[in-house]
């Protein structure tokens, strides 16, 4: 049964990888109209030329999908390139990876050398180029679950206050402190992943360690999850969908010292819908509809989160096409093909309540 139709969503944080993975990964995101593509390839994307050729590879696979590209902040970015950003509609921002903080971040910025990049931030402010931030420190001395909080306190607030006109996105917000930071400052927003809305650290450890729930920033406590959920459910425009779908082959995830990354691309819209259905019941307790997603107000909130707030922040038009949401259960596959290997999706084997298709 079709229950609603909304503007086609965008994924404001996506890892597509390259090489033989690309054919699969691009296809897995095809329900989205556009996505911001992360630049943490090996080697990273640090020039407009590289971004353009990566974008063309993606377009060759699916011309109906609009990849919005980013550069990877390091000293190889030529400052002259920054002034070209405003004239290139598909080039949306620069990603800051603190070195050592996550997958392929070895070319990132040492937090002790962040001030070197202040001259870049000044230009980014001038040319209205958003700074997308992986907001974590990677010091052994800092507790793993406090990496985001410490990065915000020690590094992000100083940048935020020194460059008040710089647009900043705290990517994959994962903590209560992250939510507070975003709410406290203008021109500051956050992407929100399905995993940070639906999982806590219990999902990493309950019944035995589950490497498929390991991502960075790591999923945290019930309190953190609720703080993020509240902003999304109440429709705060600073918080919008960005999946951080980050595929790694199954055998690597299941090995010792396996990499961080949760793969959700092909089922992520459905995961967000499930979130609104599961958590909305107590939040919107004045709605008496039998099925929450049949409530027009709830559907509007979903549409804002998936298809409008991110576009508003980045100054993009809304997509023209729509997707139709059906009340139609489906089981998440145990694995998806990835090049010559396979990848295990989030919540493999679980049944979701809704399915959607491009209208
Ligand atoms: O879990 C993650 N995986 N977090 C990131 O920041 C990077 C990503 C990846 O590229 O695998
Ligand atoms: Zn990411």
């Amino acid at each position: 049964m079709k229950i609603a139709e909304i503007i086609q969503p965008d994924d404001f944080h996506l890892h597509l990888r390259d090489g033989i993975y690309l054919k699969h990964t691009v296809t897995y995101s095809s329900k989205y109209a556009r996505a911001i593509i992360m630049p943490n390839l090996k080697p990273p994307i640090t020039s407009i030329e590289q971004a353009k050729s990566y974008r063309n590879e993606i377009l060759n696979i699916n011309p109906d999908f609009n990849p919005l590209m980013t550069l990877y902040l390091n000293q190889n970015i030529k400052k002259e390139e920054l002034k070209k950003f405003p004239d290139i509609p598909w080039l949306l921002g620069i990603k800051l990876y603190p070195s050592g903080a996550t997958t392929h971040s070895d070319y990132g910025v040492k937090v002790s050398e962040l001030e070197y990049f202040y001259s870049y931030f000044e230009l980014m402010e001038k040319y209205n180029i958003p700074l997308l931030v992986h907001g974590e420190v990677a010091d052994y001395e800092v507790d793993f679950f406090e990496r985001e909080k410490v990065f915000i306190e020690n590094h992000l607030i100083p940048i935020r206050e020194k460059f008040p006109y710089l647009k900043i996105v705290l990517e994959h917000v994962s903590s209560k402190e992250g939510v507070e930071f975003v709410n406290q400052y203008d021109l500051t927003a956050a992407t929100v992943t399905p995993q940070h809305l639906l999982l806590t650290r219990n999902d990493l450890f309950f019944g035995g360690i589950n490497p498929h729930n390991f991502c960075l920033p790591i999923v945290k406590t019930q309190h953190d999850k609720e703080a993020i959920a509240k902003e999304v459910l109440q429709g705060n425009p600073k918080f919008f969908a960005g999946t951080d779908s980050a595929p790694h082959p199954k055998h690597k995830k299941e090995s010792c010292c396996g990499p961080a990354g949760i793969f959700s691309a092909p089922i992520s819209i459905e995961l967000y819908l499930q979130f609104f259905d599961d958590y909305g019941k107590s939040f919107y307790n004045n709605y008496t509809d039998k099925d929450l997603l049949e409530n027009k107000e709830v559907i509007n909130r979903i549409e804002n989160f998936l298809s409008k707030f991110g576009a508003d922040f980045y100054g993009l038009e809304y997509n023209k096409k729509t997707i139709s949401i059906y009340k139609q259960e489906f089981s998440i596959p145990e694995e998806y093909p990835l090049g010559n290997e396979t990848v295990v999706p989030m919540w493999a084997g679980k049944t979701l309540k809704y399915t959607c298709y491009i209208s």
Side-chain angles (χ1 to χ4, degrees):
M1 187 184 59
K2 177 168 164 176
I3 54 167
E5 196 167 322
I6 61 168
I7 295 173
Q8 194 181 6
D10 295 315
D11 180 349
F12 281 97
H13 184 131
L14 177 65
H15 297 269
L16 289 178
R17 315 301 189 204
D18 55 0
I20 58 164
Y21 291 168
L22 202 59
K23 236 193 168 90
H24 284 130
T25 56
V26 172
T27 310
Y28 295 146
S29 286
S30 60
K31 286 185 191 172
Y32 289 93
R34 303 174 287 208
I36 289 192
I37 311 304
M38 289 297 135
N40 63 334
L41 302 184
K42 262 187 163 165
I45 308 279
T46 53
S47 72
I48 298 178
E49 209 35 57
Q50 266 177 295
K52 192 172 169 190
S53 83
Y54 186 28
R55 176 176 151 85
N56 285 338
E57 279 184 65
I58 299 164
L59 286 170
N60 279 340
I61 295 167
N62 182 2
D64 293 328
F65 177 71
N66 185 359
L68 304 168
M69 311 309 286
T70 53
L71 301 188
Y72 185 115
L73 185 65
N74 78 18
Q75 305 185 359
N76 292 340
I77 298 186
K78 296 208 174 60
K79 288 201 186 133
E80 307 90 78
E81 297 243 286
L82 301 187
K83 58 164 104 58
K84 299 183 190 156
F85 270 67
D87 298 323
I88 306 178
W90 49 261
L91 193 58
L92 277 216
I94 299 183
K95 178 80 188 276
L96 161 60
Y97 284 101
S99 72
T102 188
T103 309
H104 300 172
S105 63
D106 4 340
Y107 299 90
V109 175
K110 288 200 179 76
V111 289
S112 58
E113 292 169 8
L114 253 175
E115 285 187 20
Y116 169 86
F117 290 94
Y118 279 20
S119 56
Y120 284 76
F121 300 155
E122 211 170 291
L123 290 170
M124 289 167 70
E125 222 177 11
K126 179 166 169 198
Y127 296 113
N128 195 22
I129 305 169
L131 177 68
L132 284 57
V133 180
H134 184 112
E136 291 194 289
V137 292
D139 309 350
Y140 184 76
E141 292 71 33
V142 175
D143 185 274
F144 215 86
F145 290 88
E146 296 192 352
R147 286 173 152 209
E148 184 170 281
K149 171 176 173 278
V150 172
F151 184 86
I152 290 170
E153 280 166 11
N154 295 353
H155 307 291
L156 198 50
I157 289 179
I159 297 173
R160 179 65 294 174
E161 297 198 335
K162 192 160 171 61
F163 301 96
Y165 300 107
L166 180 65
K167 275 188 179 170
I168 294 183
V169 184
L170 177 61
E171 295 296 334
H172 36 55
V173 61
S174 70
S175 64
K176 192 167 129 300
E177 292 81 4
V179 168
E180 285 163 4
F181 166 77
V182 170
N183 278 329
Q184 197 183 338
Y185 294 96
D186 289 341
L187 295 179
T188 307
T191 47
V192 181
T193 73
Q195 59 265 27
H196 294 104
L197 288 171
L198 291 165
L199 306 179
T200 66
R201 59 192 184 186
N202 280 11
D203 295 285
L204 271 169
F205 304 121
F206 218 83
I209 196 156
N210 184 344
H212 300 294
N213 288 339
F214 175 52
C215 65
L216 287 168
I218 199 160
V219 294
K220 299 191 168 60
T221 67
Q222 187 66 21
H223 291 304
D224 295 296
K225 186 175 87 165
E226 280 169 7
I228 303 164
K230 181 168 158 247
E231 302 303 323
V232 172
L233 291 169
Q234 72 187 11
N236 184 338
K238 286 168 161 275
F239 295 80
F240 46 82
T243 63
D244 197 18
S245 176
H248 291 277
K250 178 174 190 248
H251 68 94
K252 285 206 178 138
K253 287 291 284 178
E254 294 180 358
S255 66
C256 180
C257 306
I262 293 182
F263 172 64
S264 65
I267 49 153
S268 49
I269 299 177
E270 286 82 357
L271 289 170
Y272 287 125
L273 296 175
Q274 189 78 39
F275 160 77
F276 272 92
D277 189 56
D278 289 350
Y279 292 81
K281 283 195 189 78
S282 55
F283 193 84
Y284 306 118
N285 52 17
N286 51 337
Y287 298 151
T288 51
D289 308 62
K290 200 160 95 314
D291 199 309
L292 197 62
L293 267 56
E294 282 174 44
N295 183 294
K296 190 80 189 102
E297 189 54 38
V298 175
I299 282 293
N300 282 344
R301 300 259 166 122
I302 292 173
E303 183 176 56
N304 287 339
F305 173 72
L306 293 176
S307 317
K308 288 185 168 178
F309 289 159
D312 291 341
F313 184 83
Y314 280 101
L316 303 171
E317 284 180 12
Y318 299 148
N319 296 312
K320 302 274 180 302
K321 288 188 186 164
T322 59
I323 56 163
S324 298
I325 300 170
Y326 290 82
K327 190 167 177 187
Q328 179 191 323
E329 283 192 350
F330 81 99
S331 295
I332 300 178
E334 294 292 341
E335 295 176 15
Y336 283 87
L338 181 68
N340 302 325
E341 299 154 295
T342 62
V343 55
V344 176
M346 177 173 158
W347 271 3
K350 232 177 143 116
T351 299
L352 299 181
K353 199 166 155 189
Y354 305 96
T355 309
C356 64
Y357 304 97
I358 299 176
S359 307

